[in-house]
Amino acid sequence: MGDILHSPAQVGDPDLVFSSDVAPDQARAVRDRVLQRPDTVIAAGHFTDDVFGRVTSVGDAHTWAPVGKAPNTTGN
């Protein structure tokens, strides 16, 4: 996961590319597939806080929900 998600910001805006991306187009394609699998627990090694979490989705919007915290399913 470290090569496709560098920050929780990329969950909300998957078009964000970091300068350390070696293959940004490939990372984006994999990121898109991961975001289509909500509620799968992920270990995102580059995240500074809340490394373990899951993607939650409300409509087309995605957010990062750290493990141990209730996912936000209301869109707020």
Side-chain angles (χ1 to χ4, degrees):
M1 294 310 285
D3 291 338
I4 64 162
L5 289 169
H6 292 87
S7 163
Q10 286 181 297
V11 175
D13 186 356
D15 288 327
L16 290 175
V17 175
F18 283 80
S19 61
S20 59
D21 280 342
V22 176
D25 292 335
Q26 185 178 12
R28 170 57 202 249
V30 175
R31 195 164 37 250
D32 285 343
R33 287 196 309 266
V34 168
L35 293 175
Q36 298 306 314
R37 298 184 60 149
D39 298 325
T40 300
V41 175
I42 298 170
H46 288 297
F47 290 14
T48 55
D49 295 321
D50 302 317
V51 172
F52 294 94
R54 61 178 48 94
V55 173
T56 61
S57 300
V58 178
D60 290 336
H62 305 290
T63 59
W64 182 252
V67 170
K69 296 181 183 178
N72 179 1
T73 58
T74 64
N76 296 323

